[in-house]
Amino acid sequence: MKITIGVLAVQGDVREHAAALTALGAEVVTVRRPGEVEQIDALVIPGGESTVMDKLVRAFELQEPLRKRIADGLPVLGSCAGMIMLADRIADARADQQTLGGIDMTVRRNAFGRQVDSFETDLRYAGLDEPVHAVFIRAPWVDEAGEGVEVLARVGEGPAAGRIVAVRQGNLVATSFHPEVGGDRRIHAEFVRIVENARESA
């Protein structure tokens, strides 16, 4: 039976994630209502604007159902704003900003700068033989990762060299770049394996 992966569809680049996951054989649904949260095997939180996403998640009454399922082990992949939504702490949060949490890390919003400072680079990514071509768009980075967090990728060179840009804790994976941009689906494929393993062991 196919796994069903929801893409949080309140804001952000939903279509690109859905296309990548569909190409890997997953059943993909959009998640906008509380009842849909119970019908998925996993979730993707796409890039977008984290403060807007937070407000919409609360307005659509998705926050508590998502927090509960994440606490119960739901596999989640968050990219860019999705990384912020999965962080337990935000270094420079707006006063009213909240997250779904789940990963013991502190992230910094727009850490690489504004839109004009968006960039692309090749990254060494744990578990993958060849580098990942990463696209950063007003991206966060991880200021601090807890002991239980596995660092999957760091920036290799330039002024941000050494900064953490991909992590995993349990069934939760977060990248500060956009793996859905371009044709490289290896990070999505790794996530699909996490989802399949989680369903088998449930």
Side-chain angles (χ1 to χ4, degrees), residues 49-50 84 92 108-114 137-141:
E49 171 50 57
S50 62
I84 297 168
D92 54 346
R108 186 169 296 277
R109 297 165 54 238
N110 299 337
F112 291 96
R114 304 180 67 80
I137 304 170
R138 293 179 63 201
W141 66 42

Side-chain angles (χ1 to χ4, degrees), residues 115-188:
Q115 194 88 31
V116 292
D117 297 316
S118 300
F119 69 102
E120 301 179 24
T121 189
D122 289 335
L123 299 174
R124 294 171 62 93
Y125 192 97
L128 300 180
D129 294 337
E130 298 296 324
V132 169
H133 186 70
V135 177
F136 293 85
I137 304 170
R138 293 179 63 201
W141 66 42
V142 178
D143 266 358
E144 181 183 13
E147 287 184 10
V149 178
E150 178 188 2
V151 175
L152 300 175
R154 297 175 184 265
V155 177
E157 56 191 16
R163 292 293 185 179
I164 300 169
V165 291
V167 294
R168 177 179 177 182
Q169 183 173 3
N171 290 331
L172 306 177
V173 179
T175 69
S176 54
F177 55 92
H178 291 262
E180 75 281 5
V181 175
D184 188 344
R185 299 196 174 105
R186 289 176 295 162
I187 290 173
H188 287 88

Side-chain angles (χ1 to χ4, degrees), residues 5-58:
I5 300 180
V7 180
L8 185 64
V10 295
Q11 196 239 359
D13 45 356
V14 174
R15 189 181 306 131
E16 294 86 346
H17 278 291
L21 293 163
T22 300
L24 291 165
E27 187 79 36
V28 179
V29 297
T30 54
V31 173
R32 290 191 188 89
R33 299 177 184 85
E36 294 164 344
V37 175
E38 295 305 316
Q39 299 166 10
I40 55 175
D41 297 309
L43 180 72
V44 170
I45 306 176
E49 171 50 57
S50 62
T51 53
V52 175
M53 196 175 290
D54 165 43
K55 287 176 182 173
L56 291 173
V57 161
R58 284 188 271 164

Side-chain angles (χ1 to χ4, degrees), residues 73 75 171 193-202:
N171 290 331
R193 278 192 282 276
I194 290 170
V195 179
E196 289 171 341
N197 290 338
R199 192 167 73 172
E200 285 172 10
S201 60

